[in-house]
Amino acid sequence: MAISYEWDVSNVDTYPSHTDSQDPANTESDVVYNVHWRLKGTDDTNVDFTDSEGNDVYYSADVYGSIGLDVSDLSSFTSFADLAVADVQAWVEAAMGADQVQEHKDSIDAQIAAKINPTSVSRVIGS
């Protein structure tokens, strides 16, 4: 099973204006303090089904949540207009820590494995 992972970190919550706790204090606008994230894994070696246009659709699973960011020091602040998805993804991964990121990937792997080799299948009688 070869699983690739893709982050979606495009939805964020911001403070219109925020002053940090440094001395001297830094005040900035549109400070990202919370990120709504989704981590999707796709197994590109096992086809789940073929869509109506003949395209293969691969098994996938995802996990999602939100995570707060430390905004107590804005001395290296990046303005909202200059933010890139890669910046926010790095913040999310740093806030989670490597162990939690790996736990999420392990969960996705297990979900995909269960889809490929289910231990239980729902059926309808009389159909």
Side-chain angles (χ1 to χ4, degrees), residues 71-95:
V71 294
S72 63
D73 182 358
L74 299 178
S75 60
S76 61
F77 178 76
T78 303
S79 69
F80 189 84
D82 293 333
L83 277 181
V85 171
D87 297 328
V88 180
Q89 178 181 331
W91 296 346
V92 167
E93 290 188 54

Side-chain angles (χ1 to χ4, degrees), residues 5-18:
Y5 303 95
E6 182 179 344
W7 286 93
D8 177 359
V9 294
S10 57
N11 293 316
V12 298
D13 298 323
T14 64
Y15 293 125
S17 179
H18 182 71

